């Protein structure tokens, strides 16, 4: 039986996620922005939290861990970097590790840049990628702790995943990302189509997530820093993709 995934809002613009194994009844929260909405989602589904899979140490991703750990005595899985302030960690994981949630299996990818400890969880059989603040729909996270080449390599790692992989990211930023991307690639047909879709979804107060890796490859300007037309659009024709990516991210920071 396939994994069951539930998406719900947390804080001001975070996504909360539960992934549930219907066979063993194991349930993981991907990060823990705040406890209240996660507890409500669990109660609504009749599920019990067995695991929290942490992507990185920022407070809007770990703020609910202590309350959830007290209530459910769940396992907390987190990046291997012990310097990062993540509370109550039971298990540290790094690139290539496998994390089990009941019978469900997640592969760990190290995706640093936004933070140095950032990891993503890939449920290959269920075609689900939980990438938090590395990759957004039509965007990517700010580079706070890493470098632009580091973040570009992390994005390439995610871009290489199968086209039908569903992308579950950390925030509802798609509308603002679309606005920025259209300023770089105004004639990109995939981007224009996504812009229409996003406008409709947000008008109906619906989430723009999940998206697909295939669609992000076609429309997400940050994943297209190695496309000559994108380099030319930011005045960096012939420069390295990492340099183009850096310029894109700098412009988005100021947008």
């Amino acid at each position: 039986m396939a994994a069951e995934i539930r998406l719900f809002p947390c804080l001001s613009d975070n996504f909360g996620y539960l992934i549930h194994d219907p066979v063993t009844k194991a349930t993981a929260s991907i990060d823990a922005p705040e406890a209240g909405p996660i507890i409500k989602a669990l109660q609504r589904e009749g599920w019990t939290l067995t695991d929290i899979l942490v992507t990185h140490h920022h407070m809007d991703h770990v703020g609910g861990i202590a309350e959830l750990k007290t209530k459910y005595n769940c396992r907390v899985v987190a990046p291997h970097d012990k310097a990062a302030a993540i509370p109550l960690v039971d298990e540290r994981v790094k690139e290539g590790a496998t994390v089990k949630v009941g019978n469900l299996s997640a592969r760990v990818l190290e995706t640093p840049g936004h933070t140095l400890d950032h990891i993503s969880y890939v449920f290959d059989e269920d075609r689900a990628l939980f990438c938090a603040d590395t990759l957004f729909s039509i965007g990517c996270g700010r580079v706070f702790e890493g470098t632009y080449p580091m973040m570009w390599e992390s994005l390439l790692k995610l871009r290489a995943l199968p086209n039908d992989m569903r992308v579950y990211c950390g925030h509802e930023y798609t509308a603002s990302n679309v606005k920025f991307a259209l300023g770089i690639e105004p004639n990109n047909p995939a981007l224009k189509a996504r812009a229409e879709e996003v406008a409709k979804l947000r008008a109906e107060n619906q989430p723009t997530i999940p998206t697909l890796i295939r669609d992000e490859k076609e429309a997400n300007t940050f994943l297209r820093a190695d496309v000559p037309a994108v380099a030319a659009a930011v005045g960096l024709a012939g420069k390295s993709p990492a340099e183009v990516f850096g310029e894109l991210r700098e412009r988005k920071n100021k947008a």
Side-chain angles (χ1 to χ4, degrees), residues 192-248:
K192 290 195 285 187
R194 179 63 168 151
E196 292 180 8
E197 178 186 35
V198 168
K200 183 174 184 294
L201 287 168
R202 297 313 294 153
E204 298 169 355
N205 201 31
Q206 295 297 310
T208 61
I209 301 301
T211 179
L212 295 175
I213 286 290
R214 177 193 63 224
D215 296 337
E216 292 303 310
K217 284 162 63 172
E218 293 176 351
N220 188 331
T221 299
F222 292 96
L223 291 184
R224 294 166 53 80
D226 53 357
V227 174
V230 173
V234 294
L236 292 178
K239 298 295 185 179
S240 73
E243 289 176 275
V244 175
F245 168 76
E247 176 64 18
L248 288 167

Side-chain angles (χ1 to χ4, degrees), residues 31 52 116 195 208 254:
D31 288 327
I52 301 173
L116 294 178
T208 61
K254 299 167 186 171

Side-chain angles (χ1 to χ4, degrees), residues 99-207:
V99 178
K100 300 286 284 187
V101 178
N103 291 332
L104 307 178
S105 183
R107 179 164 52 98
V108 174
L109 295 180
E110 292 180 9
T111 51
H114 178 69
T115 63
L116 294 178
D117 67 325
H118 202 298
I119 59 176
S120 299
Y121 296 92
V122 184
F123 288 82
D124 288 296
E125 290 187 13
D126 296 286
R127 285 297 193 263
L129 163 68
F130 295 94
C131 52
D133 293 3
T134 297
L135 174 66
F136 297 128
S137 182
I138 319 299
C140 71
R142 284 178 180 261
V143 180
F144 287 120
E145 296 178 7
T147 64
Y148 289 139
M150 179 187 290
M151 187 68 157
W152 172 242
E153 289 302 315
S154 292
L155 291 175
L156 287 179
K157 192 180 288 187
L158 299 181
R159 192 178 75 175
L161 292 170
N163 281 335
D164 62 347
M165 186 70 70
R166 289 170 293 162
V167 178
Y168 295 92
C169 60
H171 294 269
E172 181 58 88
Y173 290 161
T174 314
S176 64
N177 290 339
V178 163
K179 181 179 179 181
F180 171 78
L182 284 170
I184 305 296
E185 293 191 275
N187 299 315
N188 180 330
L191 177 57
K192 290 195 285 187
R194 179 63 168 151
E196 292 180 8
E197 178 186 35
V198 168
K200 183 174 184 294
L201 287 168
R202 297 313 294 153
E204 298 169 355
N205 201 31
Q206 295 297 310

